[in-house]
């Protein structure tokens, strides 16, 4: 980000607490734009942003598109399934082709960890990582931090459990860094088969026993079982997984009255979270989705717009 002197958003590891606070403060301004009768500002008029998604997405892609439209940016849609990727065109040639048409930003999702870092070598545009393999999903972490702070205030000392398929989760990696940067205590919870072989460098503790931490949590953050990334069975059955590591109704009853239930989506009700628990008032899962638009407006504005400090929000309706 601009405070860190970079044009890209590739990893939460590139952001310090000041960077994150700058983004969250700007998000608050853009959330206000979203409540207007005409939720649109001219902040990125004349800028063009391309979406390059090699993996499926509902939330991330639609919220980036909504964010760009609210900022008056032009967008260039790229669909792998109807593109020349199917004729064998490489990622590099695809990026250089899109860049040649004139773009200011490119939002990339790819199954390969590090793909957005490579893309940043092949284009002059700002690159935003919308999820790369198991590696990083920085805007998910930012929208989760924003959502959590709206309910809990400062996150210093708050206890966050990230529960489930940690090993295959880019969300876990980004959120562990993000919550720790904001002063929270992060505990990873999962069976040995779903935790990384080494937690060296992770700012976290870990346990295999959700019941040992559930009463103490400020946030219980559930992860989807990512069967598409698992080469072999990691749990005996999904039913047993739900009993051992799912947020069942009984476990949700043990959470404190102010504790939040969070999930990045898409959810598998009845696996990592009981169906009725996902609909409880302290489950803020759809609120996370809504906040994703405002957070992505802030990120796009800081990277592509007049995000020089002091920030000129340029929020006047056109
Ligand atoms: N949370 C998230 O990244 O969802 P999508 O895969 O639908 O974008």
């Amino acid at each position: 980000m601009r405070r860190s002197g970079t044009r890209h958003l590739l990893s939460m590891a590139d952001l310090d607490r000041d960077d994150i606070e700058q983004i969250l403060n700007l998000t608050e301004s853009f959330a206000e734009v979203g409540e207007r009768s005409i939720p649109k500002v001219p902040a990125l008029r004349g800028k063009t942003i391309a979406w390059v998604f090699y993996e499926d997405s509902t939330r991330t892609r639609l919220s980036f598109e909504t964010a760009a439209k609210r900022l008056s940016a032009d967008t260039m849609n790229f669909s792998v399934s109807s593109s020349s990727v199917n004729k064998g065109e490489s990622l590099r040639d695809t990026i250089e082709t899109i860049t040649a048409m004139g773009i200011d930003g490119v939002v990339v999702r790819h199954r390969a960890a590090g793909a957005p870092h490579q893309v940043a070598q092949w284009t002059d545009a700002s690159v935003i990582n919308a999820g790369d393999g198991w590696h990083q999903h920085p805007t998910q972490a930012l929208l989760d931090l924003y959502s959590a702070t709206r309910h809990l205030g400062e996150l210093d000392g708050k206890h966050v459990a990230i529960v489930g398929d940690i090993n295959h989760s880019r969300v876990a990696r980004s959120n562990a860094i993000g919550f720790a940067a904001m002063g929270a205590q992060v505990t990873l919870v999962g069976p040995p088969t779903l935790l990384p072989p080494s937690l060296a460098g992770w700012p976290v503790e870990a346990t295999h026993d959700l019941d040992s931490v559930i009463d103490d949590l400020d946030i219980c953050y559930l992860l989807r079982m990512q069967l598409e990334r698992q080469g072999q069975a990691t749990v005996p059955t999904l039913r047993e997984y739900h009993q051992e590591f799912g947020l069942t109704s009984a476990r949700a009853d043990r959470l404190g009255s102010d504790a939040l239930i969070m999930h990045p989506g898409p959810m598998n009700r009845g696996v990592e979270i009981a169906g009725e628990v996902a609909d409880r008032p302290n489950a803020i899962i759809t609120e996370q989705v809504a906040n994703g638009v405002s957070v992505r407006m802030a990120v796009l504005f800081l990277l592509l717009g007049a995000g020089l400090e002091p920030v000129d929000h340029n929020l006047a309706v056109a």
Side-chain angles (χ1 to χ4, degrees), residues 53 55-63 109 130-131 137 139-140 143 170-171 221 224 263-266 289 296:
F53 278 57
E55 274 190 345
D56 295 340
S57 171
T58 299
R59 280 147 285 270
T60 309
R61 180 161 182 154
L62 290 178
S63 63
R109 171 170 286 193
H137 194 351
T139 57
Q140 179 69 47
L143 74 87
R170 54 198 177 207
V171 173
Y221 194 105
R224 182 174 65 86
H263 193 301
V289 174
R296 286 165 177 135

Side-chain angles (χ1 to χ4, degrees), residues 126-198:
S126 289
V127 179
I128 299 171
N129 182 357
D132 59 330
W134 306 359
H135 181 224
Q136 282 284 313
H137 194 351
T139 57
Q140 179 69 47
L142 291 167
L143 74 87
D144 290 333
L145 293 173
Y146 179 75
S147 303
T149 55
R150 276 177 65 92
H151 285 270
L152 302 177
E154 295 286 326
L155 297 178
D156 293 281
K158 297 290 192 295
H159 190 183
V160 183
I162 303 176
V163 185
D165 185 359
I166 310 289
N167 195 32
H168 303 97
S169 174
R170 54 198 177 207
V171 173
R173 285 170 176 79
S174 287
N175 277 20
I177 294 170
F179 276 106
M182 298 305 285
Q185 174 196 348
V186 180
T187 302
L188 304 181
V189 185
T193 50
L194 291 176
L195 287 175
S198 167

Side-chain angles (χ1 to χ4, degrees), residues 8 71 85 87 94 96 103 108-109 122 133 180 191 197 240 251 305:
H8 310 299
L71 293 167
V85 171
K87 302 173 193 166
T94 300
E96 289 180 350
I103 55 170
V108 180
R109 171 170 286 193
W122 300 328
E240 286 167 283
R251 286 197 182 99

